[in-house]
Amino acid sequence: VSKGERTRQRIVETAAGLMNRSGWLATPVSAVLAATGLKKGGLYNHFVSLDDLAAQAFDHASGQMVAVIEQRLATDGTAPERLLNLLAAFEHAGQPPFASGCPILNAATETDDMHEPMRQRVAAVVSHILALLEGVIRDGRTAGEFSADVEPRRAAQLLFAAFEGGVMLAGVLRQPVLFSEIKNDLEALIASWAQPRTVTP
Amino acid sequence: VSKGERTRQRIVETAAGLMNRSGWLATPVSAVLAATGLKKGGLYNHFVSLDDLAAQAFDHASGQMVAVIEQRLATDGTAPERLLNLLAAFEHAGQPPFASGCPILNAATETDDMHEPMRQRVAAVVSHILALLEGVIRDGRTAGEFSADVEPRRAAQLLFAAFEGGVMLAGVLRQPVLFSEIKNDLEALIASWAQPRTVTP
Amino acid sequence: VSKGERTRQRIVETAAGLMNRSGWLATPVSAVLAATGLKKGGLYNHFVSLDDLAAQAFDHASGQMVAVIEQRLATDGTAPERLLNLLAAFEHAGQPPFASGCPILNAATETDDMHEPMRQRVAAVVSHILALLEGVIRDGRTAGEFSADVEPRRAAQLLFAAFEGGVMLAGVLRQPVLFSEIKNDLEALIASWAQPRTVTP
Amino acid sequence: VSKGERTRQRIVETAAGLMNRSGWLATPVSAVLAATGLKKGGLYNHFVSLDDLAAQAFDHASGQMVAVIEQRLATDGTAPERLLNLLAAFEHAGQPPFASGCPILNAATETDDMHEPMRQRVAAVVSHILALLEGVIRDGRTAGEFSADVEPRRAAQLLFAAFEGGVMLAGVLRQPVLFSEIKNDLEALIASWAQPRTVTP
DNA sequence: ACCTTCGGGACTGCCCGTTGAT
DNA sequence: ATCAACGGGCAGTCCCGAAGGT
């Protein structure tokens, strides 16, 4: 690995943390320079624009999230167990996923109507995560671990939505415990999917 | 009502829509001027700063949301009916609550680590809404419409989190129907609270 | 006297003090409004522009100075006595002449190369004061109270220059006593004019 | 010397002349840009703020004055000779010290009540110059060139005050010759310090 | 007649992301 | 990888008129 590539990687990691805090679109170059110790030219050798860096930094951050999710869902065990396993992954770690909120939630709300390329990037990650969840739930239904009443796609959506909503609540209210409570509620919800006659998806 | 007050109100309304789209902190003065047709001097006659305008605009937007919520929850009927009544309110109306996502979600993620006064403003609204939901659920439990297993505070949080998460998903994936699905799932969840033995809060 | 005229006079007086502090050209309208309690339109009823107000305010301030000078120099007594009498007038009074320095010195340095109309206004006052001093010194020479060596015009200039320089020194060094010292030195200088053979004017 | 340093120096020199004309606090960035040919971005590479530039420009201007003073006072000869030598230095050179008046006088009156950091900067220069003059006069008294009646500190103050006052008079009246006259009067005053019985300090 | 309210538009100091020469 | 420069954009203040109200 070349020295330039190592520098690039270091910038991306630093920027990822920074931009998740100060905004994926709103973080100025100067903040990145201050955090990395580089000078203007040094940064523009590795990225064609700030947009480019933001994209790479977001990919880095979301990639880390996806990696954790894939790893937790790939373990042995029943589908419910794997889902609980996943939820457990976000118990700690600074704040829910990273410091200052979930990069996906942050990027989604920020770029929603402002930056179409970035929005598509976020949408792709969201779709991927939803597909992962849906797959596990479908597996669980096939295996009889979840009732046939449970519609995998809908269940995955509900899970992910409540998760991200919980991140938001805990963040804005400055009450981290609130996220844990929602996590527990989701565990109960998943458990309820075992029995038929559940009215939820 | 004086002319100035009418102008101020018009600016606040325009800015509310604008800022919910382009960011409560990120929208430049120039965009507000373009949208209102005013010039700088005219705008700054009504607001001491852009921050001040943003605060008033957010209060306006969140106030509208809160008004709808209070109105829907104040109707006659059982607690479950009133909650379903509330959910129904967000079926249409541009997009979920307003065009371009929920102002509370947008403002919460944007100001979370960037603008403490605004974050407190958002937190106050969130707390108020959670309290409203909690009150209805508690009423329902007292009236026997909800199982004693349902913990009002936790249930309110879960409802609100899933709602906001749904707004985010529908927005970033550009699939409005997704919000409706989550809404339906929440209706089912509320219905499930009627029976004891529910594993959810 | 009409109410409007009284208001105008009040504005002029307030502005004179204000502008001598914050600059005869640099004081913004807003400061005048804040100090007078008026609103924009209320001010522009009495003055066609801020420039106009500044001119009137300076005339007011310099007029007060000139009045004091004329009064002190018009007393009975020998020429030296009248000059000492004049110097004594500036012993106290807030700071040398007014709070925050002599309006003539302030206006002279500020408008010197920036505002020709104002500079002429200041120059007229300066010329008038120099003429007054010169007249007294000439009287003294005629009366034999001053040596024939003393050139009235030159002596007046030196007196006035040292006076204003002393105001500047005392102001910038924040040592009011310094002005008194210079005043005493000038008294000694005037006394020395009585004898011939003095090398000074 | 790097290119940037050369540019910075050029800006400082240009700004010094400009600000002494148009005001050390009142000169806008745009005027500096116009005078230097730079654009905003280029200027702010060298100075953190306009205040910063003003400080450096004033230091440059006052430094030049102090350098001349120190050089003239450091020559061989008696104390009176050295003082006359100093006065001679300001005979020509644009106008007294620079075009548009003495930077010390201009800055002193302008910043007096408006900009405390700048005022302290000016005060430091003034104190330094007074100390230089006082030193020479004290030397002269020790050497018997000046009467024991002459109080060095007071004499230095009077000299400097009359000098600056003369700059002001010549400037506002647009009569450069007036400064020369005051200079001559000061030479006579210095000469008079040789004999005892002088009533001046 | 006097004053306020409202708006306009130019200007302020300063920061932005970006690029070429070095 | 730096250094120096660019030019457009930022939020906010300036002085001032014209309309409205008492």
Side-chain angles (χ1 to χ4, degrees):
Chain A
V1 180
S2 72
K3 183 190 173 206
E5 176 53 24
R6 267 185 289 115
T7 301
R8 197 196 65 85
Q9 189 59 24
R10 184 170 58 83
I11 297 173
V12 165
E13 287 165 13
T14 306
L18 200 57
M19 290 179 159
N20 196 42
R21 272 206 152 260
S22 349
W24 293 95
L25 302 179
T27 302
V29 177
S30 59
V32 178
L33 297 179
T36 56
L38 268 69
K39 298 303 169 59
K40 290 235 159 119
L43 195 145
Y44 279 87
N45 277 345
H46 299 289
F47 309 93
V48 307
S49 71
L50 187 60
D51 246 49
D52 180 28
L53 170 56
Q56 294 196 33
F58 174 74
D59 286 350
H60 175 80
S62 64
Q64 279 190 307
M65 264 200 76
V66 169
V68 168
I69 294 174
E70 290 183 330
Q71 167 200 329
R72 292 287 179 143
L73 293 186
T75 51
D76 289 341
T78 66
E81 284 168 357
R82 285 150 72 198
L83 289 175
L84 297 194
N85 201 356
L86 171 58
L87 282 176
F90 295 106
E91 179 69 74
H92 310 295
Q95 230 69 357
F98 302 109
S100 355
C102 173
I104 291 175
L105 176 63
N106 288 345
T109 56
E110 191 179 358
T111 68
D112 193 346
D113 291 281
M114 288 300 291
H115 198 289
E116 180 59 15
M118 195 76 161
R119 194 219 106 230
Q120 291 180 8
R121 210 169 271 270
V122 182
V125 175
V126 169
S127 295
H128 183 50
I129 293 177
L130 285 178
L132 289 174
L133 293 173
E134 184 181 343
V136 172
I137 298 172
R138 175 162 291 115
D139 289 351
R141 203 170 62 163
T142 304
E145 296 151 1
F146 288 143
S147 158
D149 298 341
V150 175
E151 214 285 283
R153 191 177 59 79
R154 300 278 294 268
Q157 285 171 12
L158 182 62
L159 231 45
F160 192 56
F163 175 91
E164 294 290 357
V167 170
M168 184 272 274
L169 283 185
V172 73
L173 293 181
R174 291 272 189 272
Q175 299 178 352
V177 68
L178 214 145
F179 176 76
S180 300
E181 294 175 352
I182 296 220
K183 190 174 66 68
N184 291 338
D185 296 341
L186 290 181
E187 289 170 357
L189 180 65
I190 292 169
S192 78
W193 290 344
Q195 301 95 7
R197 195 75 218 104
T198 293
V199 251
T200 4
Chain B
V1 178
S2 72
K3 181 191 176 196
E5 177 52 25
R6 269 183 285 114
T7 302
R8 196 195 67 84
Q9 190 61 25
R10 185 170 57 84
I11 297 172
V12 164
E13 286 165 12
T14 306
L18 197 58
M19 290 179 159
N20 197 41
R21 272 203 156 262
S22 357
W24 293 95
L25 302 180
T27 302
V29 177
S30 60
V32 178
L33 298 178
T36 56
L38 285 166
K39 299 308 172 62
K40 284 215 163 140
L43 183 74
Y44 279 90
N45 274 340
H46 301 286
F47 308 94
V48 306
S49 69
L50 187 57
D51 245 49
D52 178 29
L53 169 56
Q56 294 195 34
F58 175 75
D59 286 349
H60 176 79
S62 65
Q64 277 189 307
M65 265 199 73
V66 168
V68 168
I69 294 174
E70 290 183 330
Q71 167 200 330
R72 293 288 179 142
L73 294 185
T75 52
D76 289 341
T78 65
E81 283 169 357
R82 287 150 71 198
L83 289 176
L84 297 193
N85 203 353
L86 171 58
L87 282 176
F90 295 106
E91 180 68 73
H92 311 87
Q95 232 68 357
F98 303 106
S100 234
C102 173
I104 291 175
L105 176 62
N106 288 344
T109 57
E110 191 179 358
T111 67
D112 192 346
D113 292 282
M114 289 300 291
H115 198 290
E116 179 60 15
M118 195 75 161
R119 195 219 105 230
Q120 290 180 9
R121 211 171 270 270
V122 181
V125 176
V126 169
S127 296
H128 182 51
I129 293 177
L130 285 177
L132 289 174
L133 293 173
E134 184 180 343
V136 173
I137 297 172
R138 175 164 291 115
D139 289 350
R141 204 171 62 161
T142 304
E145 296 151 2
F146 289 143
S147 158
D149 297 340
V150 176
E151 213 287 282
R153 190 178 60 80
R154 299 279 293 267
Q157 287 170 11
L158 182 61
L159 231 47
F160 192 56
F163 175 91
E164 293 290 356
V167 170
M168 184 272 275
L169 284 184
V172 73
L173 293 180
R174 291 274 188 270
Q175 298 179 353
V177 68
L178 213 147
F179 177 75
S180 299
E181 293 175 353
I182 295 219
K183 191 174 65 70
N184 291 338
D185 295 341
L186 291 180
E187 289 170 357
L189 180 65
I190 292 168
S192 78
W193 291 342
Q195 303 94 8
R197 192 79 217 107
T198 292
V199 252
T200 4
Chain C
V1 179
S2 72
K3 182 190 173 204
E5 175 54 23
R6 268 185 287 113
T7 302
R8 197 196 65 85
Q9 190 59 22
R10 186 170 55 83
I11 297 174
V12 165
E13 287 165 13
T14 306
L18 200 58
M19 290 180 160
N20 196 40
R21 273 205 151 260
S22 349
W24 293 96
L25 303 179
T27 302
V29 177
S30 58
V32 179
L33 298 178
T36 56
L38 267 70
K39 297 306 167 60
K40 291 241 157 111
L43 196 145
Y44 281 88
N45 276 345
H46 301 288
F47 310 93
V48 307
S49 70
L50 187 59
D51 245 48
D52 180 29
L53 170 56
Q56 296 196 33
F58 175 75
D59 287 349
H60 175 79
S62 63
Q64 278 190 307
M65 264 199 76
V66 169
V68 168
I69 295 174
E70 291 183 329
Q71 167 200 329
R72 293 289 179 141
L73 293 185
T75 52
D76 290 341
T78 65
E81 283 169 357
R82 287 149 72 199
L83 288 177
L84 297 194
N85 202 356
L86 171 58
L87 283 176
F90 295 106
E91 180 68 74
H92 309 295
Q95 230 71 358
F98 302 109
S100 36
C102 173
I104 291 174
L105 176 63
N106 288 345
T109 56
E110 190 179 357
T111 68
D112 194 346
D113 292 282
M114 288 300 291
H115 198 287
E116 180 59 15
M118 195 76 161
R119 194 220 106 229
Q120 291 179 9
R121 209 170 272 269
V122 182
V125 175
V126 169
S127 296
H128 182 51
I129 294 177
L130 285 178
L132 289 174
L133 293 173
E134 184 181 343
V136 173
I137 298 172
R138 175 163 291 115
D139 289 350
R141 204 171 61 162
T142 304
E145 296 152 359
F146 289 142
S147 158
D149 297 342
V150 176
E151 215 285 284
R153 191 178 59 79
R154 300 278 294 268
Q157 285 171 11
L158 183 61
L159 231 46
F160 192 57
F163 175 90
E164 293 290 357
V167 171
M168 184 273 275
L169 283 184
V172 72
L173 293 180
R174 291 271 189 272
Q175 298 179 352
V177 69
L178 215 146
F179 177 76
S180 299
E181 293 175 353
I182 295 220
K183 189 174 66 68
N184 291 339
D185 295 340
L186 290 181
E187 289 170 356
L189 181 66
I190 291 169
S192 78
W193 290 343
Q195 301 95 7
R197 193 78 218 105
T198 291
V199 252
T200 4
Chain D
V1 179
S2 73
K3 181 191 176 197
E5 177 52 27
R6 268 184 286 115
T7 302
R8 195 194 67 84
Q9 190 61 23
R10 183 170 60 84
I11 297 172
V12 165
E13 288 164 12
T14 306
L18 196 59
M19 290 179 160
N20 197 42
R21 268 200 161 265
S22 352
W24 293 96
L25 302 179
T27 302
V29 178
S30 58
V32 179
L33 297 179
T36 56
L38 284 165
K39 300 306 172 62
K40 306 201 182 192
L43 182 75
Y44 279 89
N45 275 339
H46 301 286
F47 308 93
V48 309
S49 69
L50 186 58
D51 244 50
D52 178 29
L53 170 56
Q56 294 195 31
F58 174 75
D59 286 349
H60 176 79
S62 64
Q64 276 189 306
M65 267 199 73
V66 169
V68 168
I69 295 174
E70 290 183 331
Q71 167 201 327
R72 293 287 179 143
L73 293 186
T75 52
D76 290 341
T78 66
E81 284 170 357
R82 286 150 72 197
L83 288 177
L84 298 194
N85 202 355
L86 171 59
L87 283 176
F90 294 104
E91 181 68 74
H92 313 86
Q95 230 69 357
F98 304 106
S100 216
C102 173
I104 291 174
L105 176 64
N106 289 344
T109 56
E110 191 179 358
T111 68
D112 194 347
D113 292 284
M114 290 299 291
H115 197 290
E116 179 60 15
M118 195 76 160
R119 195 219 105 229
Q120 291 180 8
R121 210 170 270 270
V122 182
V125 176
V126 169
S127 296
H128 183 51
I129 292 177
L130 285 178
L132 289 175
L133 294 173
E134 183 181 345
V136 173
I137 298 171
R138 175 163 291 115
D139 289 350
R141 203 171 63 162
T142 304
E145 297 151 1
F146 288 141
S147 157
D149 297 342
V150 175
E151 214 285 283
R153 191 178 60 79
R154 300 278 294 267
Q157 286 171 11
L158 182 61
L159 231 47
F160 192 57
F163 175 92
E164 294 289 356
V167 170
M168 184 273 274
L169 284 184
V172 73
L173 293 180
R174 290 275 189 268
Q175 299 179 354
V177 69
L178 213 147
F179 176 75
S180 299
E181 294 175 352
I182 295 220
K183 190 172 67 68
N184 291 338
D185 296 340
L186 291 181
E187 288 169 357
L189 180 66
I190 292 169
S192 78
W193 290 344
Q195 302 94 6
R197 191 80 216 104
T198 292
V199 252
T200 6

